[in-house]
Amino acid sequence: CLKEQRLHMTYFSQYMKDLGDLIVVREKKAMEFERRIREMDYSINMADDTLDPNKGRYEDQKKDLMFKQAQIAQKLEALYLQVDKALADFEETGTEETVKADGGFVHPNIQMHEAILARRHSMLAKARDIHKSEESYLEEAEDELQQSTRVLQQAKEIQLHSLVPALATPRKEKKGAAFTPGAAATPRKNLIFS
């Protein structure tokens, strides 16, 4: 009987780990939908400033994402209920007491939660790395904007428009070179109205 209960324990532990993996995958999808909804909010908010004609499309995409997020939330709730039912059924079998008496017992619920937490830590570390790179990009852009503002203020104060560097198109220049403070202005002698 002990051998059968150990075998039951092995299968049940694997079943709980598989449920834990499904939970993590669905939680990851839910987090991804939340991130994409925030991106759509950003696109919708910026559409007026950038004269983007796709604002309606962004709003439709946001509604679709919110619908999918609600579906994932329902699936997650079903998985949580499935875990609760499996644990209740396991307690009724009496396997836990028998295997505990034999020694070396770790409850499958604990094993499942350890696996879930390990994967959540991994996902959080990756998200933190992405966030740090985005943060550094924003800080760099903010620094460039402050420098550009200072150069423009100086040019305005002394009424010397040649201090303001020429605008570069993103296709011809490298990233961040569009308005570089302190850069020499391009010669304007070839312009018609200079």
Side-chain angles (χ1 to χ4, degrees), residues 5 9 90-91 93-101 105 107-108:
Q5 288 185 330
M9 183 70 175
F90 179 71
E91 287 177 14
T93 62
T95 303
E96 182 177 351
E97 289 79 22
T98 308
V99 177
K100 264 186 188 176
F105 173 77
H107 199 284

Side-chain angles (χ1 to χ4, degrees), residues 58-111:
Y58 298 146
E59 290 169 345
D60 292 342
Q61 287 176 346
K62 180 181 175 184
K63 287 177 189 174
D64 185 47
L65 289 170
M66 291 173 74
F67 176 74
K68 288 179 181 178
Q69 183 185 30
Q71 285 180 323
I72 289 292
Q74 288 175 346
K75 290 178 181 179
L76 264 172
E77 188 61 34
L79 281 174
Y80 296 149
L81 292 173
Q82 194 171 350
V83 167
D84 291 342
K85 183 180 182 320
L87 288 171
D89 291 346
F90 179 71
E91 287 177 14
E92 290 176 8
T93 62
T95 303
E96 182 177 351
E97 289 79 22
T98 308
V99 177
K100 264 186 188 176
D102 193 41
F105 173 77
V106 178
H107 199 284
N109 193 24
I110 294 172
Q111 293 175 350

Side-chain angles (χ1 to χ4, degrees), residues 84-140:
D84 291 342
K85 183 180 182 320
L87 288 171
D89 291 346
F90 179 71
E91 287 177 14
E92 290 176 8
T93 62
T95 303
E96 182 177 351
E97 289 79 22
T98 308
V99 177
K100 264 186 188 176
D102 193 41
F105 173 77
V106 178
H107 199 284
N109 193 24
I110 294 172
Q111 293 175 350
M112 179 189 70
H113 278 83
E114 283 178 340
I116 287 174
L117 289 178
R119 290 192 57 186
R120 283 182 183 165
H121 281 292
S122 172
M123 291 183 337
L124 185 62
K126 289 176 185 176
R128 185 173 286 120
D129 289 342
I130 291 169
H131 181 70
K132 282 182 184 177
S133 69
E134 285 292 317
E135 216 171 64
S136 66
Y137 170 76
L138 289 174
E139 287 173 2
E140 181 180 311

